[in-house]
Every structure is written in structure tokens, then in C-alpha cells.
Amino acid sequence: MKNATMYSVFLPMSLLLGACGNDKTTEITNTVSPTSDVLIADFEQKIPAWISSENAAIKQVSSNGVTKGKQALNIDFDSSKLKASVTLQPKKPWDWSKLNAFNLATDITNPSDVSVHIYLTVKDNSGWFHRRSVSIPAHSSGTYYAELKGEQLEFDSGLREDPPAWTSTDHKMFWQNGRKKLQLENIVSITYNVDTMNEDKSLIIDNVRLRENPEIDPNYLVGITDKFGQNAKVDFPNKVKSEKELKALADAELATLEKEGPMADRSKFGGWKSGPKLEGTGYFRTEKVDGKWAMVDPEGYLFFSSALANIRIANTTTTTGVDFKDDAVRYIDPNDVTPEDSLGIRPVSKEAQKTRYISSDVRHNLFTWLPSYDDELANHYSYRRSVHRGPIHHGETFSFYQANLERRYGETHPDSYNEKWRDVTIKRFKNWGFTSTGNWTDAEFYQMDRIPYFANGWIIGDFKTVSSGNDVWSPMPDPFDPEFKHRAELTTQVIAEEVKNNPWCIGVFVDNEKSWGNISTKRGHYGIVIHTLSIKDKDSPTKNEFNRLLKEKYTSIEALNTAWHTNIDSWETLSNGYKVGDLTDEMIDDFSTLLEAYATQYFKIVHNALEKVLPNHMYMGVRMAHWGMTPEAVKAAKKYVNVMSYNYYKEGLHEKAWEFLAETDMPSIIGEYHIGATSDTGLYHPGLILASDQQDRARMYKEYMRTVIDNPYFVGAHWFQYIDSPLTGRAYDGENYNVGFVTIADVPYKAMIDATKEINSELYQRRFGK
């Protein structure tokens, strides 16, 4: 550490001196020299009682000179379980509050033949946690760190992950979720865990320690982006250096696509041409074939939806740190049915541009180049009237990706580069073997009649809402509010006008990743009910319905009190808002009924609205996220959807997580998953599931897809997304992930394309072949 500092800190003596198994907690005064670390555990002695494991075998092993000291901790993770972990948990909380800015570092060796995606979770005694993760490459050793106190945690740059603030050969762990700033005087545990592995893996950890942060580079957030939207400070394999090179790459790819053409053995609509032919109805449908659910294309061929999602320009813009004083740019039409993050390029008028000002120096200084308003590429500026998260609430944006399309293909007439992009995208998909596009496909693809697609819409508007207590994207709608029904009908009418009864439309997704409840805790599971019961009847149609159902079941308030073990004095008291205390088994039974009634009303409203205007197309559901999915929501959806949809960001479909499919027995689809890496991309965050590089990413993609193809209930899987996120974060929420099949310069990742061709060429034979 750079400055010798005297401080008093409560830490187990064993942690400071090495893990000797002494659990006594002692207050000590320690002088930290410029080179010293605060040692948590070095595993030189026997494993102490305050280190425990779950679904993992731990033992001491020789460090083999890889790390400082003679002994290290070997962890064998059991892939038959959904999660496996090792936790360091002292008898009394650690007090790290008096330390200068610091990071938690761990020496990690991966002896496995494949990479290991490891999560680090630090918890305080208030219930908050700080979670990061990283991919440890196969047969590698290194030091991995997570900043827990310091300047980078003090402000929001608008990037999901910032570049490292100091130069180091150590590896920064990537932010995932939780709270960045913990109560450092009361740290109760450090956990290393894996999640949903496809095979057993091992790690060796050593020298868990706290280190003072090095001096921060004052320019670590300055000039990180070049004129193509790429990382200006590092080189990487797919980096484009000139417009000439960009055009040459495009020409070479177009020649290859023309030469190779679409993947063989595909019907007109992408089904299995040489497979069995069933009844063709003129539209996509589902049928169980030899015990496996399948989609059937309009001509009757078996169909499996292998696709990429989010094929649109809307999510390619990034905020520039510029805004306008003219409020006209922030006007929102109350009849609009498209949420902010799904709007395409929305130019700012020349009159409004005169009111331009820098709203965020940090954001504006990220770029080495942005076009002037009279530049030929200025048409790729846009405006965000609101954002989900970030340091600015609204402002100017720029799409480097769309600008690169104009550079690649030129402009023979207005927006001709976008027409060329759509043409090339379809040729790519069919050559790579994809059978359709995924959710969030730009409506401009709908009437091209060249590749099957899924339409989509969102129900937004001024209807009442309820809360799950953890509303990730937005509050939950109140489906008993008549305005919700009205808005659902407006949305589905717009979708129908875009689809025009087109047989190339497989089905329709409406809304996305709703927060039905988090089943990790009982209160999280029934959060919608608990929060709604606390509302007054007059303020909530859903609360009125809950009260009606309770009165229907219980003849009196006394009967309800007897069942719930409560002392509510009257129905009026319940109507005025009741704060739920301890949950009894009887309460949980009723809450489950209420939660299912709530979800049933939602799916009924949406289904009926779709049925009126698109009777020939399948309702694909709401793409439930694993973190916001409850059994009640699944049961409700089954009553009304044609295909169940789930977004599942894991390494694969673990059989234990999907046992419920046998009971549900519905055709199902993965609406989102992805895997990313940063070591060879120039990006600062890999995404939600991590690989070590592009080759490893391709391996993991193949493993994931095979778990879906082999599952008899699934009829498709959609990778999120087609294009890498902007280096400086997408405008809506700052995601800056390597999750694309193409870079921000529209250059395909060869390893991913090779893997895709392998998977899609074997797709139908593996799924339906004898």
C-alpha cells in the first residue's frame, strides 16, 4: 500500500497471520507498510471451521510454487447440483471501514480442461451483497481482484463496467449485481461459487487478501472510443483501422455469402426439408412428435427456432454527454405504445440543436471523435428522453454501429445502408444455419418474406401498477385496471398492423422479464401480494380483487384471522391497507392463490387482445426471467399461451432447474441467453455468462445449445444479441457487453460463426432424427 497508515481494525487474528484455525477474534493495531496486504486466508494450516463448502469438496494441496506459500485450497465443484460454493464466514463480522481505498484479491489457479466462471459475493450484516464474476481460463493461474472501496465506486459513468482504473497484470472481476458500497464495518462473509455447470470443475484459491488500491490513472475514462466506436487504447483481432479496410471486409464477406448460399436441407420457412411432413395449416403451430414438442412450419415441416435476438438499431446508441435546453426534444406522446429503449434513431431538429450544451463532461470525454452536426455521418445522432439507469436522465445519443453500416455499404439513397444491412443480415442468418430471427426484430424485416420472425410489443401507458418489491425493469401492471386492457388492445392492434397476417410470423412476444416474484425468499416470492395488501382498495383494482377473493373464501374477518393467526379487526381495516407480518403456512396458501389470480388476469387480457387481431399466430408469452419467475405465474401462463418462454442466462439447461417442465408439459422456448469475453474484443464487460476468449465462448455456445436441442420440451433458443453492445454502454442502461455475433463495426466473430454452422447443420437430425 502506498502510504503507511496506523489503524485499529476488528479481524480474526488467524486471518491476519494465516488460516491457522484459531477462531478467536481480537482487536489489534496494525501498521500497514507501502507493500503490505491485510491477509484473510492463506491455507498454510489446517482448514479452519469458519471456512465451509456446499456441494463442493475442499482440501489442502501444494501450491507448487505458483503462489506465495506452500499450501493452497483445492475446490472440486459438483455439477450435479445447481450451485456449489465455498464461504469464508468469521464468528464476528470483519470491520474493514478504517482501511483506505482497497480491493479484495485472490490468487486462483484453474487445473481444469475448460474455463470456470466463478462468482465472488461479499455480504454485510444488513443483508446487502456485492457480486462480481470472472472466467478463469483452463490451465491458468492469476490474481483476480474486486474493488470494494474507492473512487470507481463513488460515481456512475454510465458504463455497466468501467475500464480498469490502474495499470496491472492482475485481472479485474466484472460487476454483476447487488450494491457497490457495502457497510464495511460489518462484513459477514466472502463466498466463491459456480452456477449451473455442464460438467465438474475445479479451482485452487490462495492468499485471500485486502490490498490498497494503486494510484488511479486520471485519464482512465478519457478518450476510450475511436471513430468506429471501438476501444481506442488497445488492439484486438477484429479491430478495424480504416474505412478502406471496413469496406474490404464487407466485400469479402458478401462474396462468401453469395458463393456459399443458405444452409442445406431447409424448407421455404426454415423447417427440416428431408424430415417427416405433417399437416400444413399455412401458419406456424406446435405439435408433439414422438414424445418431443416441435413447431411445425406453414407447409408442415418440423421446425426448431434457432436464432439471434435484438436485430435492430434501437439498442446501438450510446449517450454522448450532450443535451438540449429545448424541452420539445423530451415530448412524449401519451398514445405511444413503444418504450424508450425500443425506439430507433430520432433526430433532433436544427432549431433544438442551437440549445446544445454539455450535460456530462465524463460522458463527453469518453470519445476521441464525434461528428459535427454538418458532417455526413451526423444522421446517426439520436435522442433518449429517459433512461433506465445512468448518470444522466436524458440526452443526445450516437450510433457508431449505424455509422459503420453507412461506411461499409455507402448511401445511394436515404437509408440505403439499412436496406443493405437487412439484406446482408438475412443472408448471414440463412448461411449460418439460423432458422429464424428472435425477439426484438425490427419490423422492417416483417414483410420481406425471406426468413421467419417473431413479432413483439409492450404494454405501456398510464394504467395503475403494483410492486413485487424488486421491480427490475419497471413496476408491475395492474391487470384489473380497465386502462391496462385498453392499452393491451392498442398494442396488439399496432402489432397486427405490422404483421398483416403474414405467415412468416411465427408468433408474438408481449412484454418482457416481468418481476412476478423471486422464489429465493418467501417474502420475495409473494411480494406482489404482500405489497398490494398494504395499499388502500380505492387506489388499486388488484387490491379490490384480492379482497373479493378473500371474502369469498372466508365468511367473516374472524375466520380469516383464525386461518392466518392474525388479529385484523375488520374487513375495512384490510381494505385500508394491511402490512403483512410473519408469514404463516395458511397465509402462504392464500397468497399463492392470489398471486395466480393476478397473473391469470394478466395473461387473459393479453391473450384475448391478441386473439382478436392475430388469430392465426401463436402467443409466445412474456419471456420469464429465472430471477422473476414463480410457479403461480407459470401456471397462469399455461392457461393462455401457445408456447412458454423463458430467458435463462446460465451455462446450460440443468435438469434440476427444469424438472417442472414434465408437469407443465408445454412447448417452450429460450428467449434469451448469451456468453461473452473481453480478452480479445476490446470491450470492458463480457456479459452475464463469461468465457475466457472467443474460442471458449464458441465452445460454451455449443454446449448450451445442445442442452436445449436435447430437451424434449424446447422448440427453440434465441441468443441475445446479434450485435455487441456499445463500448461506452447502450443508452438505456449502460450495458457494454461482448454478446454479439458481430462487432460494433459489423464484423462477424469467426469462432462463433463456425460454432453456429456446426450446431445448426446437426440441428434437425439431432433433435428429430432416429
Side-chain angles (χ1 to χ4, degrees), residues 730-764:
R730 64 183 188 182
Y732 187 63
D733 59 7
E735 286 187 6
N736 55 344
Y737 299 162
N738 164 231
V739 294
F741 268 55
V742 300
T743 71
I744 203 72
D746 200 42
V747 179
Y749 287 102
K750 184 179 185 303
M752 295 301 294
I753 306 313
D754 291 344
T756 298
K757 289 183 175 181
E758 179 182 335
I759 286 294
N760 288 330
S761 65
E762 70 180 30
L763 171 63
Y764 284 122

Side-chain angles (χ1 to χ4, degrees), residues 619-636:
Y619 175 25
M620 306 296 297
V622 71
R623 306 200 316 156
M624 297 186 190
H626 68 273
W627 45 259
M629 183 174 69
T630 66
E632 294 84 359
V634 171
K635 287 174 65 177

